[in-house]
Amino acid sequence: MTVAAPRYDHRPDRASRRRTRHYAMTPPTFFTVEYAINPWMDPTTVVDTALALAQWETLRRTYTDLGHTVDVIDPVPGLPDMVYAANGGLIVGDTAVVARFAYPQRAAEAHAYAAWMTARGLRPVETRHVNEGQGDLLVVGATVLAGYGFRTDRRAHDEIAARLDCPIVSLELVDPRFYHLDTALAVLDDTTIAYYPPAFSDASRTTLSTLFPDAIEVASADAYVLGLNAVSDGYHVVLPAAATGFAEQLRAGGFRPVGVDLSELLKGGGSVKCCTLEVHP
Ligand code: ARG
């Protein structure tokens, strides 16, 4: 009789560490690409708004099927980028920092997001310097990783650290394709990140490898389909379906990748994370 050898699995038990999340999303009802404020956008591109809405709805359903809560924010005509709700601000507990956008085309979104925060019973606080919300401000454990170089002004990092009373790590972005931090770095749980090293300055790469020695480094093929524009609950990682190499790395690390196709929204330079504003407890 043969006895099967016990199988040891040294990967952390991530499934038991997942946390139910609270997100806010704005449907792409008025989504178009009519101006170009990042290298992904081409105003001659035809956008299929109905397909964008269907893809967005699949993302929303993915979250609710995973047990998460999704608030839906009213879209505003004339603000085609409002679908990228991550940029609306940074909400941690009672503190709601509202965005101050870098480009005039998006400036009015700040009023819409501030109105939504107020309706939720939060008091939106402004920064003097440009901050594009969770596009550049990512919470990992008790720390905020903050991007600068293209959109969020580095001086806003200090304003936000003071508001939230938490440490902020400033990271410099150097490749215009990866103009927001959330296009180049994904937070997977309170201590784990994934990132694309070439998107960062040498000094910031050193910072990241020192703070996160176990980080997943993704390849160009995944970064260039915005694979890092992903949302994790600590176990399930919702990511662009085309990022198959990153999905494999996640699986090997004990995470559960969930691919979603947001091809229409990629035309505006965004994907899963851009469409998702997390409301942090
Ligand atoms: N077209 C938008 C812009 O350039 C895309 C924003 C993507 N959002 C994000 N969180 N990366 O501002």
Side-chain angles (χ1 to χ4, degrees):
M1 184 176 109
T2 48
V3 178
R7 285 180 60 229
Y8 294 106
D9 189 344
H10 296 288
R11 292 179 307 190
D13 175 19
R14 301 197 190 276
S16 67
R17 289 196 229 151
R18 80 179 273 278
R19 277 202 320 271
T20 302
R21 306 291 174 135
H22 183 170
Y23 303 123
M25 298 174 65
T26 310
T29 315
F30 306 108
F31 177 61
T32 56
V33 179
E34 56 196 44
Y35 50 79
I37 56 172
N38 70 56
W40 303 81
M41 300 175 84
D42 172 359
T44 64
T45 305
V46 178
V47 170
D48 183 340
T49 306
L51 179 57
L53 271 163
Q55 292 176 336
W56 178 91
E57 178 59 19
T58 300
L59 177 63
R60 193 189 66 79
R61 282 283 298 277
T62 301
Y63 292 138
T64 55
D65 287 351
L66 290 171
H68 305 305
T69 300
V70 179
D71 290 355
V72 175
I73 300 174
D74 288 336
V76 176
L79 296 177
D81 275 340
M82 213 182 146
V83 62
Y84 304 111
N87 297 124
L90 173 66
I91 302 172
V92 182
D94 306 331
T95 308
V97 178
V98 69
R100 179 183 293 280
F101 286 89
Y103 288 101
Q105 292 94 330
R106 299 196 67 184
E109 292 182 41
H111 308 305
Y113 282 104
W116 170 76
M117 290 168 183
T118 305
R120 286 199 76 241
L122 298 164
R123 197 170 52 82
V125 296
E126 293 186 351
T127 57
R128 288 182 49 219
H129 300 286
V130 167
N131 92 77
E132 293 205 347
Q134 287 186 0
D136 278 319
L137 304 162
L138 296 174
V139 175
V140 49
T143 302
V144 174
L145 302 181
Y148 71 97
F150 296 102
R151 300 290 182 88
T152 297
D153 189 313
R154 192 176 182 170
R155 291 169 293 181
H157 297 181
D158 296 331
E159 295 185 72
I160 289 159
R163 286 288 185 186
L164 298 180
D165 193 23
C166 74
I168 278 211
V169 177
S170 294
L171 298 167
E172 185 180 13
L173 297 162
V174 296
D175 179 337
R177 283 244 143 197
F178 304 99
Y179 57 95
H180 274 142
L181 183 64
D182 71 356
T183 63
L185 186 149
V187 175
L188 302 176
D189 65 24
D190 289 345
T191 55
T192 314
I193 65 163
Y195 67 108
Y196 180 54
F200 295 90
S201 67
D202 288 344
S204 294
R205 286 167 74 153
T206 303
T207 304
L208 286 169
S209 58
T210 307
L211 288 177
F212 302 99
D214 300 327
I216 296 177
E217 296 189 11
V218 310
S220 300
D222 293 307
Y224 276 78
V225 292
L226 286 187
L228 284 162
N229 202 245
V231 171
S232 174
D233 65 14
Y235 176 53
H236 306 100
V237 182
V238 182
L239 80 169
T244 51
F246 180 34
E248 252 336 293
Q249 289 175 293
L250 287 166
R251 217 171 274 118
F255 293 96
R256 177 92 168 261
V258 181
V260 175
D261 179 9
L262 291 183
S263 59
E264 284 309 296
L265 294 157
L266 192 62
K267 295 175 178 175
S271 192
V272 173
K273 171 60 202 170
C274 296
C275 293
T276 312
L277 178 66
E278 180 161 357
V279 180
H280 293 284

